[in-house]
Amino acid sequence: MTNVLEAIYNIVHQNNFDLRSLYSGRNRANAMGNALEDYIKDAFAGTFGMQEEERMKKFNNEFSWLGSQNNPPDIMIKGGDAIEVKKTQSANSTIALNSSYPKTDLRSSSPMITQDCRECETWTCKDLVYCIGHTTDNSLKSLWIVYGSAYAANHETYQRIKNTISEGVKTIPNVVFSETKELGRVNNVDPLGITNLRVRGMWQIENPRRVFNYLHSQTNKDFELVCIIPKDKYDSFPVESRLKIEAIKKNGFSLENKLIKDPNNPANLISCKLIKSII
């Protein structure tokens, strides 16, 4: 089973960050967002440079879910983590999450996921990994890989806001409401009954480059990989994966023990592993 450490190992050793050259020859959409998602899949599956048929087989072995356009997550590892891929066109851009608030983990009970995702394997809760890539001129300039538990507060923090707004909408008198996964939906607003109102959430979160600016400052190098993994999560990975990462001796690669602010209480500090590859 693959994991974040295997993905980092594969990225460090493949050294090609020109997404256009990597993916323009394949029979898939060539938009940079899709190319970044393909890159992340190849990193986790270890399929850089593979022929398409072998690549598909490896995906089948490693992943239980490869996403739908409008529902999280983008990728699920069989028996492992869930992955959300986000693309930015500037190094410090705020990350648009749209209707999904930031999450520490992904739960099968979430109304935001599809039934097919819920049933793709036997699972209840998966740790969530955010892979945030900055692309420019067809190239991947930086990739931040951050666990949701290091980045986002507990579900209740966001759910309280969402529920309060939804309940507030329902207090409007003399309107017809309908069930929705959004914040609210009001039907038949006007006397003719021809106008509906959808109330949608548009969540955003600060770029991890800003959130963790005390751990890393932007460089002028061609590519930056920065990964933040809570120490207890790092210690849970197979010994073989940890040894592979800890044995890397390439210039610009580093593995350090760091402390980060607890997203639920910044007065507390969380032990983590900071992995960087600056090329």
Side-chain angles (χ1 to χ4, degrees):
M1 182 179 71
T2 189
N3 56 58
V4 164
L5 301 186
E6 296 293 332
I8 292 171
Y9 183 88
N10 293 330
I11 291 170
V12 169
H13 288 88
Q14 68 90 28
N15 277 336
N16 184 355
F17 307 105
D18 186 339
L19 298 182
R20 187 69 68 188
S21 69
L22 282 171
Y23 298 109
S24 62
R26 291 189 172 154
N27 294 322
R28 295 189 304 277
N30 294 325
M32 292 304 286
N34 291 337
L36 175 62
E37 193 171 314
D38 282 339
Y39 182 90
I40 299 300
K41 292 173 188 173
D42 283 334
F44 275 88
T47 49
F48 286 119
M50 254 186 208
Q51 294 297 314
E52 188 65 15
E53 186 175 0
E54 290 304 308
R55 183 173 178 266
M56 289 166 56
K57 290 178 182 177
K58 194 71 183 297
F59 282 7
N60 181 66
N61 289 335
E62 298 288 359
F63 304 132
S64 62
W65 178 255
L66 289 179
S68 60
Q69 187 172 0
N70 298 316
N71 300 87
D74 295 309
I75 304 165
M76 289 202 323
I77 299 169
K78 285 184 179 178
D81 298 332
I83 302 161
E84 275 284 288
V85 181
K86 299 294 180 182
K87 180 182 72 72
T88 68
Q89 293 183 325
S90 68
N92 297 297
S93 297
T94 299
I95 311 303
L97 302 176
N98 298 324
S99 58
S100 294
Y101 56 76
K103 296 179 179 66
T104 59
D105 53 44
L106 185 74
R107 300 173 184 180
S108 60
S109 59
S110 169
M112 302 304 296
I113 67 173
T114 66
Q115 191 65 25
D116 286 335
C117 177
R118 196 171 285 113
E119 297 174 352
C120 67
E121 63 171 290
T122 302
W123 68 287
T124 302
C125 182
K126 287 177 174 284
D127 290 336
L128 187 62
V129 184
Y130 286 96
C131 293
I132 299 169
H134 168 216
T135 62
T136 180
D137 298 327
N138 302 329
S139 294
L140 181 59
K141 303 300 293 183
S142 71
L143 179 64
W144 282 71
I145 302 176
V146 183
Y147 269 86
S149 58
Y151 192 26
N154 290 333
H155 285 264
E156 292 74 20
T157 300
Y158 311 103
Q159 196 68 42
R160 178 176 62 86
I161 302 297
K162 181 179 179 181
N163 290 344
T164 301
I165 294 172
S166 295
E167 291 304 314
V169 171
K170 291 178 182 178
T171 64
I172 302 171
N174 303 319
V175 293
V176 179
F177 298 97
S178 65
E179 290 298 319
T180 177
K181 294 179 181 178
E182 299 174 346
L183 294 177
R185 182 182 175 99
V186 182
N187 293 336
N188 307 330
V189 172
D190 54 347
L192 288 178
I194 59 174
T195 306
N196 304 325
L197 171 66
R198 295 170 62 188
V199 184
R200 305 186 64 188
M202 297 296 287
W203 295 89
Q204 295 180 325
I205 191 169
E206 283 284 0
N207 195 298
R209 189 184 294 279
R210 291 182 181 273
V211 176
F212 300 104
N213 59 8
Y214 55 93
L215 295 181
H216 176 75
S217 298
Q218 187 175 354
T219 72
N220 60 359
K221 298 292 187 178
D222 290 337
F223 175 74
E224 298 177 349
L225 169 67
V226 182
C227 180
I228 299 170
I229 308 174
K231 186 178 182 299
D232 56 353
K233 180 66 179 183
Y234 181 88
D235 291 341
S236 74
F237 289 126
V239 173
E240 296 81 0
S241 296
R242 284 181 276 153
L243 290 176
K244 283 171 72 172
I245 288 294
E246 292 164 9
I248 294 175
K249 302 299 184 185
K250 299 190 81 171
N251 289 337
F253 183 86
S254 62
L255 171 61
E256 301 176 84
N257 294 313
K258 292 289 186 179
L259 294 172
I260 63 170
K261 299 172 186 176
D262 183 342
N264 293 294
N265 180 3
N268 297 330
L269 298 178
I270 299 172
S271 297
C272 74
K273 293 287 187 178
L274 175 66
I275 303 174
K276 297 198 281 189
S277 181
I278 314 297
I279 300 172

